[in-house]
Amino acid sequence: MKERKPRFTSLSGIEIHRLYGPDDLKDWTPERELGVPGEFPYTRGIYPTMYRGRLWTMRQFAGFGSAEDTNRRFHYLLEHGQNGLSVAFDMPTLMGLDADDPLARGEVGRCGVSISSLSDMERLFEGIPLDHVTTSMTINGPATVIFAMYLAVAEKRGIPFDRLGGTLQNDILKEYIAQKEWLFPPEPSLRLVTDVVAYCAQSVPRWHPISISGYHIREAGATAVQELAFTLYDGLTYVEAAVKAGLAVDQFALRLSFFFNVHNDFFEEIAKFRAARRLWAREMARRYQPKDPRSLQLRCHAQTAGCSLTAQQPLNNVVRTTVQALAAVLGGTQSLHTNSMDETLALPTEEAVRLALRTQQIIAEESEVTNTVDPLGGSYYVEALTNRLEEEAQAYFRKLDEMGGMVAAIERGFPQREILEASHRYQREIEGKERTIVGVNRYVEQEERPIPILKIDPEVEQRQVARLSELRKSRDPFKMAGAVAALQEAVACGENVMPPLIEAVKAQATLGEICAALKEVLGTYREPVVL
């Protein structure tokens, strides 16, 4: 029978054979490539029992409007079975701007929660036991400042830092590569990341100081291969920076975490997670020879692909998200966020968020896919894909090594250009109907029923601006100015930035004021032209 297409490929462009068998795994041995769960090279999972012992953390990304608005959503999610918080910040906060900055006008609370001061952070976590709930914060350029605010809230409540658990994204390299929300040049930004790593190793031992993110790299148009390669190489770059700063690899490596996208190519995504664990373990062992085996383990959070969702026929997004979430589970993620069906239109409604959470709960409690570890292990197709993804990621590693590392590659525009070309290829395939997007280029409906969407009240911005005005009137200006000056001096002298940062936020210095002061010492950055 004639096949439907002349050529079948994965979303990364890997040619897919009609059938897979022993010939596709000629040099493959189960002992070397698979092992057993919980043991090197961790292909089958980082824990011996995986989901038979403990399910993944269900962590819905949430944040909109004011701190009070998001606080109510957090309580709602916890009441409906979520067991970890994940904070989305608005664009001004991501860019280190206060809500009353002229550049923030019209954006306050729109794509996440608005946080400008320690007072905002206190309202954000009102009534939430920080020592019993893990918190993930998606913040990068001003990550140190936001983390200092979180620690100051805990300190004010009398919670010891060693009882805090959570994750700070704090991945600045992927900002230069993909998301474009940086504040300082690459080298000083790496120094700030390393300061957080060192501070957590000493004072906040249960905290993950970096979540090395492939998610945004994939959202920018990268293939699964590029996401795998650039993300893991970013991770190795952070390890190298920490080691050069005098930290032993076993002091911090076991607290590093990763954050992957989960796209529509079901088997490629499963293979990507398996290849990531194996490749990370092998590269860490080869480059740094840690003594603690936990330093070789890749722990990851996953989020279903926002870039795969469509504004057309938004109910279809429920199906896409379900397929993607199942791939993440079969791939062995430790934590998962499922996107809501309405996220291409607006921030999700409570109903849409609840359905996204229920998607995870049905997979966990009803599908029975959690009964055995790595159920697809040994599949000729999955193992061949895992090998191929690892091999192609290693080819990128060699190129990046030859360029002198990721910072040098970023300054030359190499990863940016690779992603740009991949995104153009994918878009051409959609426009040429080589790839089907249901409801977009096939099975299109002329009239669609609208769904409810969440709208942010303009009064949110007005209230935030008024609060900042009151804060500046009521605080001790000399105490605040002294704390900021001490911060600048500490940064200029090469001291760890976290202790003076905590003092600055406690003195009610705002996010924008602190970031502006740091720019005076660390400088600013303009990216290279890649076209």
Side-chain angles (χ1 to χ4, degrees):
M1 181 183 292
K2 184 179 178 181
E3 295 186 341
R4 291 183 295 107
K5 295 188 289 186
R7 184 169 176 261
F8 289 78
T9 66
S10 74
L11 285 182
S12 292
I14 296 171
E15 186 158 357
I16 305 301
H17 306 160
R18 182 183 303 168
L19 186 67
Y20 285 78
D23 288 347
D24 296 289
L25 297 173
K26 284 181 179 177
D27 300 320
W28 184 89
T29 62
E31 296 78 17
R32 185 181 69 244
E33 310 297 345
L34 267 184
V36 296
E39 294 183 15
F40 185 89
Y42 304 104
T43 311
R44 311 201 71 180
I46 60 172
Y47 303 122
T49 59
M50 288 300 287
Y51 306 138
R52 285 172 65 105
R54 177 183 175 185
L55 293 173
W56 62 92
T57 301
M58 299 179 193
R59 191 186 298 280
Q60 290 300 113
F61 195 42
F64 66 95
S66 66
E68 291 92 340
D69 295 328
T70 300
N71 178 266
R72 284 191 291 272
R73 178 65 63 86
F74 284 165
H75 283 284
Y76 175 86
L77 288 167
L78 291 171
E79 289 163 6
H80 282 80
Q82 181 170 306
N83 47 19
L85 299 178
S86 184
V87 189
F89 296 93
D90 69 0
M91 185 59 70
T93 306
L94 294 172
M95 297 303 297
L97 302 173
D98 287 334
D100 59 357
D101 191 292
L103 292 175
R105 192 165 299 152
E107 294 292 337
V108 175
R110 292 285 172 179
C111 67
V113 62
S114 173
I115 300 294
S116 298
S117 68
L118 177 59
S119 298
D120 288 335
M121 189 67 79
E122 289 182 276
R123 286 190 288 269
L124 179 62
F125 291 101
E126 181 69 32
I128 293 172
L130 301 185
D131 50 345
H132 291 94
V133 173
T134 59
T135 303
S136 173
M137 294 188 281
T138 302
I139 193 83
N140 297 283
T144 48
V145 187
I146 292 295
F147 187 43
M149 290 180 182
Y150 189 84
L151 295 177
V153 171
E155 182 181 293
K156 194 170 183 179
R157 293 190 193 175
I159 301 172
F161 289 173
D162 62 6
R163 291 174 59 185
L164 298 175
T167 304
L168 189 69
Q169 189 160 102
N170 199 26
D171 176 7
I172 200 60
L173 292 174
K174 70 98 171 56
E175 294 297 330
Y176 303 110
I177 294 171
Q179 190 161 255
K180 314 301 181 184
E181 293 165 3
W182 61 75
L183 301 183
F184 320 111
E187 288 292 351
S189 294
L190 261 180
R191 174 262 174 104
L192 294 180
V193 172
T194 305
D195 281 356
V196 175
V197 172
Y199 187 80
C200 286
Q202 180 177 2
S203 303
V204 202
R206 293 180 56 220
W207 197 269
H208 297 280
I210 316 175
S211 176
I212 304 143
S213 175
Y215 186 85
H216 306 89
I217 291 172
R218 191 65 178 277
E219 291 288 294
T223 65
V225 168
Q226 291 168 341
E227 178 193 0
L228 176 63
F230 296 151
T231 305
L232 266 59
Y233 201 93
D234 282 351
L236 294 171
T237 303
Y238 293 126
V239 173
E240 181 68 15
V243 169
K244 283 184 176 178
L247 291 173
V249 69
D250 286 325
Q251 282 183 274
F252 65 88
L254 72 163
R255 301 309 296 172
L256 300 180
S257 68
F258 288 81
F259 175 21
F260 290 111
N261 194 294
V262 199
H263 214 289
N264 285 332
D265 194 326
F266 186 70
F267 287 106
E268 184 173 64
E269 293 303 311
I270 294 166
K272 181 183 72 182
F273 284 95
R274 301 171 85 252
R277 284 191 293 271
R278 190 164 72 199
L279 183 54
W280 180 254
R282 287 173 170 171
E283 288 294 319
M284 285 292 287
R286 182 177 70 85
R287 294 176 186 238
Y288 299 104
Q289 303 86 46
K291 295 180 175 61
D292 190 334
R294 293 175 299 172
S295 296
L296 303 174
Q297 295 175 344
L298 182 145
R299 302 159 188 82
C300 69
H301 171 67
Q303 180 174 338
T304 57
C307 61
S308 74
L309 305 182
T310 64
Q312 301 92 332
Q313 301 177 30
L315 288 173
N316 294 345
N317 295 331
V318 177
V319 183
R320 293 185 179 102
T321 295
T322 303
V323 171
Q324 294 163 8
L326 183 58
V329 170
L330 293 175
T333 189
Q334 278 65 66
S335 171
L336 179 61
H337 164 92
T338 34
N339 287 330
S340 300
M341 64 180 177
D342 53 0
E343 289 196 46
T344 56
L345 302 169
L347 291 168
T349 63
E350 286 189 355
E351 182 181 5
V353 168
R354 184 172 63 249
L355 179 58
L357 179 58
R358 293 290 183 255
T359 301
Q360 293 199 50
Q361 291 166 339
I362 289 168
I363 292 173
E365 306 290 351
E366 297 186 27
S367 72
E368 308 300 344
V369 297
T370 60
N371 289 349
T372 189
V373 181
D374 190 29
L376 296 177
S379 155
Y380 293 125
Y381 180 35
V382 170
E383 298 301 349
L385 263 182
T386 301
N387 288 351
R388 182 69 181 273
L389 287 166
E390 182 178 11
E391 289 163 6
E392 296 210 4
Q394 285 175 325
Y396 269 117
F397 279 21
R398 288 190 290 273
K399 288 180 184 178
L400 292 164
D401 282 342
E402 289 167 5
M403 290 179 186
M406 184 55 87
V407 172
I410 287 169
E411 290 173 343
R412 290 171 57 174
F414 171 71
Q416 300 97 305
R417 195 174 299 109
E418 289 288 295
I419 294 169
L420 180 64
E421 291 172 359
S423 66
H424 282 178
R425 283 194 301 272
Y426 183 64
Q427 187 60 34
R428 286 195 301 270
E429 289 174 354
I430 293 171
E431 291 174 0
K433 296 188 177 179
E434 297 172 52
R435 293 200 183 276
T436 295
I437 307 297
V438 174
V440 176
N441 63 359
R442 288 192 73 186
Y443 315 111
V444 176
E445 295 178 1
Q446 297 305 316
E447 293 185 11
E448 296 185 19
R449 185 177 63 185
I451 62 171
I453 61 172
L454 179 67
K455 295 183 179 180
I456 304 301
D457 193 325
E459 289 186 6
V460 167
E461 182 169 334
Q462 297 166 16
R463 288 197 300 270
Q464 286 296 93
V465 170
R467 279 174 171 168
L468 274 171
S469 176
E470 184 59 35
L471 174 73
R472 291 191 172 101
K473 291 175 185 176
S474 62
R475 70 188 177 186
D476 183 334
F478 298 105
K479 182 179 180 181
M480 185 278 294
V484 171
L487 169 64
Q488 288 181 308
E489 184 177 354
V491 173
C493 294
E495 298 173 17
N496 191 295
V497 73
M498 287 307 301
L501 258 180
I502 294 170
E503 293 306 312
V505 300
K506 285 163 59 178
Q508 296 295 341
T510 67
L511 173 71
E513 290 165 345
I514 292 172
C515 289
L518 289 174
K519 284 180 181 178
E520 291 179 8
V521 181
L522 300 176
T524 57
Y525 178 70
R526 177 173 292 180
E527 73 172 330
V529 176
V530 299
L531 286 175

